[in-house]
Amino acid sequence: MYILGLESSCDETSAAVVEMEGGRRRILTNIIASQIDIHALYGGVVPEIAGRAHIEAITRITRRALDSAGLPLSDIGLVAVTAHPGLIGALLVGVNFAKSLAFANHIPLVGVDHIRGHLAAALLAHEDLTPPYLGLVLSGGHTAFYTADDYADLCEIGGTRDDAVGEAFDKIARVLGMPYPGGTALDKLAYTGDPNAFALPSPALGGDTLDFSFSGLKTATLNLIHHEEQLGRPLPAADIAAAFTRTVADGIAKKLALTLEMTGRKTVVIAGGAAANSHIRAAAERVCRAAGATLYLPPLSLCGDNAAMIAAAGYYAYLSGERADTALNASPV
Ligand code: KG4
Ligand code: ZN
């Protein structure tokens, strides 16, 4: 079956054609129109501008996804669209476009949870990956552990009580003078500093909880930066980047080890924009190796927001019997 995926939850407009059948998972096209250059002018995503930019891009991007796949719309067996969570004005563009396209052409439609989409990116990249698995989503808006007992049967078992990990990376990068979104630049800068230069509070909450808190780490790092600035010395940006990144990676590794111990799972999927972080990837590899678990990571090209992951998650939702009708609506949560 060919699935047309559509994604517009934040600052990327994306349309993809994916083929899913039995064990086969194949991306034919995955077109992404990024708005990052526009939002970088403001240091973060401006929701009103995001909504307008999605409207301008979505028809063209969808046409390109179909044309580059060499398929007419009549070959599409399912339309899958991100319905939640995200920026409401941005989500509404994709949802209304998908509803018009699907219902006018008598194609089944499913609304997809963006977070489940991120985990499905790993399924697209690894045909041998099957449930049950332990999932960890690390994105700009979410940080949470899931148990996946089947392709469409996910249960959240822990996560951040405040900020998301990507949000913390972006904030610290911004204060260190890097353009939005600063996650990738901070990742690189961290290699040039001393990871033990500063002691910062761990985002892994104490005790048996599977929860994180990134706000304390964020505030402590900001206070450190302001303190260094007040001393009038050149800012040790590389050391701060290295210490902050080490603290994040160690905190995630600690909770991942605990989650593996508590759930007994031997298959792990880590996905989402911040799963592109090389320090976190290396720390997770170490934890999984020590626990005798197999780690599946999407390639960097599928970590960020894209519609192929939405198509894949939509396919499994469809197989489990989900169908959207004309009442499908977008939701920010
Ligand atoms: O999943 P995503 O594309 O969008 C959301 O659903 O939120 O995640 C975007 C986030 C941004 O905060 C970005 O800075 C972060 O992922 N990110 C990274 C890296 N690459 C992207 N964070 C840390 N290290 C990276 N290499
Ligand atoms: Zn995302």
Side-chain angles (χ1 to χ4, degrees), residues 114 118 139 305 309:
H114 181 81
H118 273 303
S139 79
D305 293 346
M309 69 186 200

Side-chain angles (χ1 to χ4, degrees), residues 82-103:
T82 305
H84 51 83
L87 302 170
I88 188 67
L91 286 163
L92 279 166
V93 176
V95 167
N96 285 313
F97 181 81
K99 281 165 74 172
S100 310
L101 192 74
F103 295 132

Side-chain angles (χ1 to χ4, degrees), residues 165 168-169 203 212 214 217 243-253 280:
V165 56
F169 269 107
F212 297 100
F214 285 90
L217 168 62
F244 172 79
T245 303
R246 178 187 60 84
T247 307
V248 171
D250 285 356
I252 289 171
I280 296 175

Side-chain angles (χ1 to χ4, degrees), residues 114 118 139-141 166-167 169-170 181-184 187 272-274 276-278 303-305:
H114 181 81
H118 273 303
S139 79
E167 196 181 340
F169 269 107
D170 291 342
T184 315
D187 186 341
N277 186 277
S278 60
C303 282
D305 293 346

Side-chain angles (χ1 to χ4, degrees), residues 7 9-10 12 85 114-115 117-118 137-142 272-273 303-306 309:
E7 156 65 35
S9 68
C10 190
E12 328 273 0
H114 181 81
I115 309 304
H118 273 303
V137 174
L138 304 172
S139 79
H142 288 82
C303 282
D305 293 346
N306 68 87
M309 69 186 200

Side-chain angles (χ1 to χ4, degrees), residues 90-180:
L91 286 163
L92 279 166
V93 176
V95 167
N96 285 313
F97 181 81
K99 281 165 74 172
S100 310
L101 192 74
F103 295 132
N105 293 283
H106 309 288
I107 305 170
L109 173 70
V110 289
V112 174
D113 180 272
H114 181 81
I115 309 304
R116 287 160 188 252
H118 273 303
L119 290 170
L123 293 165
L124 279 173
H126 305 280
E127 280 198 351
D128 63 323
L129 169 60
T130 53
Y133 62 82
L134 172 70
L136 172 58
V137 174
L138 304 172
S139 79
H142 288 82
T143 303
F145 283 111
Y146 297 84
T147 46
D149 289 328
D150 205 343
Y151 290 102
D153 180 11
L154 276 82
C155 175
E156 185 173 333
I157 56 167
T160 183
R161 294 190 185 170
D162 39 57
D163 300 335
V165 56
E167 196 181 340
F169 269 107
D170 291 342
K171 179 72 186 179
I172 301 307
R174 183 176 168 177
V175 177
L176 289 177
M178 295 162 191
Y180 172 85

